[in-house]
Amino acid sequence: MRSTPRSALPTTRLTPSRRPLTRRALLHGALASTALAAGGGALAGCGTKAAKQTTAGCVSQDVSDTEKKLTFSNWIQYLDTDDAGKKHPTLDAFQKQTGITVTYTEDVNDNNEFFGKVQNQLSACQSTGRDIFVLTDWMAARMIRLGWIQKLDPGKLPNVAQHVLAGLRGRSFDPKNEYAVPWQSGLAGLAYNGAVTKEIRTVDELLTRPDLKGRVTGLTEMVDTMGLLLQAGGHDPSNFTTAQFDDALAKLKRAVDSGQIRKFTGNEYAPDLAKGNIAACIAWSGDVIQLANDNAKVKFVAPDSGVMLFSDNMLVPNKATHRANAETLMNYYYDPAVAAKVAAFVNYICPVQGAQAEMEKLDPELAKNPLIFPDDALLGKAKVFMALTDQQEREYESKFQQVIGA
């Protein structure tokens, strides 16, 4: 990501969304309980060590020229549907346009759970039966680190090269943009209920303001909570040292020990924030869009120090036999007109430049939503968490869990 400007942004007032946003809720609902249950060299599920692979040692054959099909695994409610909820218009159009038959399944319910589904096959260089699956940055980073993901052919992805948001290029876990194509993105920042407290602008306010004591929650997701604290301390969450992590963690610990922070949660903070049971919190943009549907007093804030940007990424696993077909699909969804149709349904940050202009034709109100189409000022404040080694992932997660009392 680019360096973070220090200038403050106005509080983001949210436009109500058209759909319930359940994908991020599912992701975080189970994450806290499973984050430390994994052990071994790559935090593999069930405590078993995941075997690394290499391109030379695990060769994948592509039969896309003779088999016009692919299997696509995604999260629930993460693709446009018709009014009956039975068809996916953009996917149907893709199949008609290309002649590629797509078996589409919504079987990604949680990153760690999905890792457990496929780790035995990928460790053994065997097929998962999938040509594309969609996983969040940190899990994508882990699988790339393990050598489980095929490199993509940039020549088959001209739309991606042209239209992917600048802030999603050259990410630390995929610096050459060879493995992961963002599907949708979102932000972690601050939120407050204006009915029970005054405006909040900074992470330091959240952690120290006396009127908020005992009325604040943090997130059990380490990369979001610690990413925001690193930024608040003047550190870069996309490139930090252990000493800088410890510095940010010490600030968090002081807020916990003083009783400033009531608890750490997954998405269950949302109803408490809406009701005013908590006054302010670290929050995900998608959750706050939901709350704003019913309570205009709930507002999302991009802290002066910056926000965290997360993405869910399309990946082609080893032994997938239809990589070229998968690349055709990825390139199709980076057509701005197609991306706008998906964004109109899912209401997350659209990673495709040019989609906002197309959205204006579909829904001018949604086209103005800064949490679907952030402007350059907001994106300039956003960082993607640094890709971690196996050892760092274990060390940092362990320290964080000790502080939050998980």
Side-chain angles (χ1 to χ4, degrees):
M1 298 293 289
R2 304 297 179 262
S3 59
T4 304
R6 289 307 222 179
S7 60
L9 288 177
T11 300
T12 302
R13 181 65 179 273
L14 303 175
T15 301
S17 65
R18 298 293 191 265
R19 297 284 305 177
L21 301 178
T22 61
R23 200 261 353 141
R24 189 67 174 170
L26 286 167
L27 183 146
H28 288 92
L31 181 58
S33 63
T34 58
L36 288 183
L43 300 182
C46 303
T48 58
K49 186 173 182 178
K52 293 186 177 182
Q53 296 292 343
T54 64
T55 302
C58 186
V59 178
S60 302
Q61 180 184 9
D62 192 356
V63 297
S64 295
D65 286 343
T66 56
E67 293 185 4
K68 295 299 181 182
K69 64 181 182 179
L70 67 88
T71 299
F72 183 4
S73 286
N74 205 349
W75 298 80
I76 295 170
Q77 292 191 351
Y78 220 17
L79 182 63
D80 57 300
T81 65
D82 61 9
D83 291 340
K86 295 181 179 180
K87 295 182 178 180
H88 302 288
T90 60
L91 193 60
D92 292 344
F94 169 80
Q95 294 179 92
K96 183 177 181 179
Q97 175 181 315
T98 64
I100 297 171
T101 299
V102 181
T103 300
Y104 183 76
T105 57
E106 296 180 335
D107 62 343
V108 184
N109 296 312
D110 171 82
N111 282 286
N112 277 312
E113 178 186 82
F114 190 80
F115 185 89
K117 287 181 182 180
V118 300
Q119 66 168 321
N120 289 339
Q121 296 98 315
L122 292 174
S123 290
C125 187
Q126 296 174 353
S127 173
T128 65
R130 301 168 175 87
D131 298 295
I132 301 178
F133 48 60
V134 177
L135 296 173
T136 308
D137 293 328
W138 62 272
M139 182 56 78
R142 184 192 295 180
M143 289 198 173
I144 293 169
R145 193 169 69 231
L146 287 166
W148 290 357
I149 304 300
Q150 294 188 45
K151 281 188 179 181
L152 302 172
D153 180 353
K156 292 185 169 65
L157 299 168
N159 285 345
V160 177
Q162 181 178 356
H163 296 301
V164 67
L165 292 178
L168 297 175
R169 302 174 190 264
R171 294 173 292 173
S172 60
F173 64 88
D174 188 19
K176 296 182 180 180
N177 309 304
E178 296 175 305
Y179 295 99
V181 175
W183 174 252
Q184 300 292 313
S185 301
L187 297 174
L190 306 181
Y192 70 94
N193 186 331
V196 297
T197 191
K198 62 182 181 181
E199 179 185 25
I200 185 170
R201 284 246 46 92
T202 70
V203 173
D204 284 344
E205 282 186 77
L206 186 79
L207 299 184
T208 63
R209 214 169 76 187
D211 64 297
L212 295 176
K213 187 172 183 177
R215 306 165 68 205
V216 169
T217 61
L219 292 173
T220 55
E221 174 77 352
M222 186 263 289
V223 298
D224 291 330
T225 293
M226 290 305 300
L228 290 170
L229 265 77
L230 281 161
Q231 287 175 313
H235 307 309
D236 183 352
S238 67
N239 184 20
F240 60 88
T241 66
T242 297
Q244 291 170 338
F245 182 90
D246 290 344
D247 175 61
L249 191 65
K251 181 181 290 188
L252 182 67
K253 188 175 187 302
R254 289 193 293 271
V256 172
D257 292 346
S258 69
Q260 181 79 4
I261 298 178
R262 178 186 297 184
K263 60 183 178 179
F264 291 82
T265 75
N267 292 81
E268 61 267 30
Y269 70 84
D272 281 337
L273 180 64
K275 295 174 184 176
N277 295 336
I278 60 171
C281 59
I282 298 175
W284 291 302
S285 56
D287 291 339
V288 182
I289 290 178
Q290 289 185 58
L291 298 181
N293 286 330
D294 300 317
N295 186 350
K297 295 288 187 178
V298 176
K299 298 179 181 179
F300 184 85
V301 174
D304 297 341
S305 51
V307 291
M308 294 305 297
L309 177 66
F310 66 83
S311 296
D312 296 315
N313 304 276
M314 293 182 281
L315 307 163
V316 177
N318 285 351
K319 307 306 286 187
T321 55
H322 305 100
R323 191 194 74 185
N325 292 341
E327 290 163 339
T328 300
L329 182 139
M330 293 175 182
N331 196 62
Y332 167 80
Y333 276 104
Y334 267 70
D335 179 322
V338 177
K341 293 174 183 177
V342 177
F345 181 86
V346 302
N347 290 173
Y348 277 86
I349 291 177
C350 180
V352 180
Q353 293 178 353
Q356 186 171 17
E358 295 294 333
M359 180 70 85
E360 290 174 354
K361 304 173 186 177
L362 300 175
D363 190 325
E365 183 182 353
L366 283 183
K368 297 175 184 177
N369 191 319
L371 296 185
I372 299 175
F373 299 105
D375 60 20
D376 290 341
L378 182 54
L379 287 176
K381 295 162 65 72
K383 291 285 185 177
V384 175
F385 201 81
M386 182 175 77
L388 303 178
T389 65
D390 297 342
Q391 180 178 348
Q392 287 173 324
E393 192 171 2
R394 289 194 301 271
E395 177 187 351
Y396 294 155
E397 190 67 56
S398 177
K399 288 179 178 181
F400 178 69
Q401 296 295 329
Q402 289 176 23
V403 167
I404 72 174

